[in-house]
Amino acid sequence: MSDLPLVTRFAPSPNGHLHLGHALSAIVAHDIAKAANGRFLMRIEDIDGPRSHPELADEFRRDLEWLGLEWEEVPAQSTRLDSYAEAASDLVERGLLYPCTCTRKEIASLPKRTGADGIEFPGSCRDKCDGAAGEGAALRIDVERALAEVGEIVWVDEKIGSVVADPRALGDVVIMRKDLPASYNLAVTLDDAADGVTLVTRGEDLLETTHIHRVLQELLKLPVPTWHHHELVLDEDGEKLAKRRGSPPLSDRRKAGEDGLVLAEQVRLRNFELGT
Ligand code: GLU
């Protein structure tokens, strides 16, 4: 066991209101940190271009307060673009990223490949894009090359144990978007390291991305946290709660006078109605 204080975080994107799924994420991260006398951080992940509405960050703060949570807020992602650009140029210099000018549609139409374990993963456009560069190009990671460089590495989830990092299921993900000097995968990895996060808690829906985060940590010589992927709040059809259906925004419930502390207890006990 290390003597470092446990540090968790809640990292919402201001592209829609928070719902019960976010309440669960925030409460899990908060409670684990508090139980260990650690620190619970909130980081606003506002690098989603036009989908990002910075004014929602204030609403998020009020929602968390209403749920009875206490946190330390660290700088939002939009203030950290230089660190993303620096890391990306390091990876470019090492030949680990390649420019890609494909549209989403073109990518979707690429042939699928089958991995050794039978999983299908998106074919890469590496060959087609060879030589594309400059304006209008995104930067993708050459996953095979990255894996050859890092060798076999593992990541540890508190609930599922030790997992060999194999990011091939997601293919050569974008590390630098064409419209932004960042991407979710690069930014979240750098920020968790910069913020001293020792336990990354988030929903199981993001588990697949942890493989590439672990590889990026190794490539960029970042400290390696532990993970805790929690189950999701599902709607009555067993689907993940989406901002557009299933559960009213927390802010609506707060404004309607509902008791946030009672809701937080129900979330802890997973004993709540989704509402309409
Ligand atoms: N910003 C991401 C989201 O709102 C969460 C990122 C993470 O927890 O790793 O879905």
Side-chain angles (χ1 to χ4, degrees):
M1 278 296 281
S2 99
D3 295 334
L4 288 175
L6 187 87
V7 183
T8 64
R9 57 36 168 205
F10 173 56
S13 301
N15 53 22
H17 301 288
L18 300 185
H19 54 57
L20 270 178
H22 297 103
L24 177 63
S25 272
I27 289 170
V28 165
H30 170 273
D31 288 4
I32 291 177
K34 296 293 155 179
N37 246 333
R39 295 166 60 209
F40 168 57
L41 315 179
M42 171 153 81
R43 180 177 65 235
I44 301 292
E45 303 215 316
D46 56 348
I47 52 165
D48 210 2
R51 291 181 62 224
S52 201
H53 299 283
E55 68 281 4
L56 283 175
D58 243 359
E59 179 180 293
F60 294 178
R61 293 180 194 110
R62 283 196 291 270
D63 291 342
L64 257 54
E65 232 170 72
W66 174 69
L67 292 169
L69 308 185
E70 284 172 21
W71 69 94
E72 284 170 57
E73 189 158 341
V74 291
Q77 288 192 322
S78 55
T79 66
R80 308 186 191 208
L81 299 179
D82 289 351
S83 70
Y84 310 146
E86 202 178 305
S89 62
D90 174 23
L91 297 173
V92 168
E93 268 165 37
R94 291 156 62 190
L96 292 162
L97 305 188
Y98 63 91
C100 165
T101 49
C102 292
T103 60
R104 273 170 211 258
K105 209 161 147 200
E106 282 168 334
I107 300 273
S109 68
L110 283 169
K112 303 270 188 287
R113 290 186 282 164
T114 305
D117 55 1
I119 304 171
E120 278 206 321
F121 60 93
S124 151
C125 57
R126 205 177 310 148
D127 302 333
K128 169 182 172 296
C129 280
D130 197 24
E135 293 284 303
L139 292 174
R140 290 183 179 276
I141 188 160
D142 184 332
V143 162
E144 293 301 337
R145 212 160 164 167
L147 282 174
E149 188 165 324
V150 301
E152 183 167 305
I153 47 174
V154 296
W155 51 273
V156 177
D157 180 287
E158 284 191 337
K159 289 163 67 194
I160 52 184
S162 192
V163 182
V164 173
D166 184 354
R168 279 176 284 219
L170 290 181
D172 290 355
V173 294
V174 169
I175 294 297
M176 199 62 110
R177 284 165 45 160
K178 55 178 113 173
D179 56 336
L180 269 179
S183 70
Y184 161 67
N185 290 307
L186 180 66
V188 81
T189 303
L190 289 170
D191 293 348
D192 282 339
D195 295 338
V197 173
T198 62
L199 178 68
V200 174
T201 62
R202 62 177 168 227
E204 281 168 352
D205 54 333
L206 288 170
L207 191 140
E208 215 48 83
T209 66
T210 299
H211 293 276
I212 191 67
H213 300 170
R214 180 67 190 89
V215 169
L216 286 170
Q217 285 157 0
E218 199 68 15
L219 292 172
L220 296 167
K221 306 216 173 346
L222 301 173
V224 182
T226 304
W227 281 264
H228 174 113
H229 294 92
H230 62 77
E231 74 277 30
L232 302 178
V233 178
L234 301 178
D235 68 13
E236 51 278 13
D237 301 323
E239 300 281 336
K240 177 185 146 188
L241 278 193
K243 282 164 181 159
R244 64 189 175 282
R245 62 149 200 266
S247 174
L250 297 179
S251 54
D252 283 3
R253 301 173 73 149
R254 170 167 56 78
K255 288 177 200 157
E258 190 175 330
D259 189 333
L261 299 181
V262 170
L263 181 65
E265 275 318 299
Q266 290 167 339
V267 169
R268 287 186 174 96
L269 299 167
R270 313 284 196 277
N271 179 20
F272 46 77
E273 294 288 327
L274 287 175
T276 49

